[in-house]
Amino acid sequence: QVHLVESGGGSVQVRGSLRLSCTSSEWTDCVAWFRQAPGKQREGVASITLGDYPYYSDSVKGRFAISQDNAKTSYLQMNSLTPEDSGMYYCARGQYVAQRCGINGEQYEYWGQGTQVTVSS
């Protein structure tokens, strides 16, 4: 069982920045970040492989950056935030599928409890 804990969420003004963290009890091939706004479907935001190859959704590409350190902690640096970025952010861990780390939630077996991000104008 992999235990994940997110932190770093909060309230920020438009064009502001936040850095989310996700501590993990174990390594896996992939770690990813997802978000869900009220009344909307969960959306994959970014993923990264053990070899540090990132992948981003089109909605955050160029604004968000995913990374990880040697202590099994993943980070999501979020810049130029807009109200559309608001929601609950979750980190998840899972194994490769076809040697890739995607942003499809079905790939990920372990999930954190989430951290809330609110962007106001």
Side-chain angles (χ1 to χ4, degrees), residues 73-86:
T73 298
S74 170
Y75 304 96
L76 187 68
Q77 177 67 44
M78 307 187 297
N79 300 323
S80 302
L81 287 163
T82 73
E84 288 69 36
D85 294 315
S86 296

Side-chain angles (χ1 to χ4, degrees), residues 6-27:
E6 302 96 334
S7 61
S11 296
V12 65
Q13 296 286 319
V14 169
R15 293 181 296 277
S17 297
L18 282 173
R19 189 193 196 204
L20 306 183
S21 299
C22 173
T23 60
S24 174
S25 60
E26 302 290 342
W27 284 108

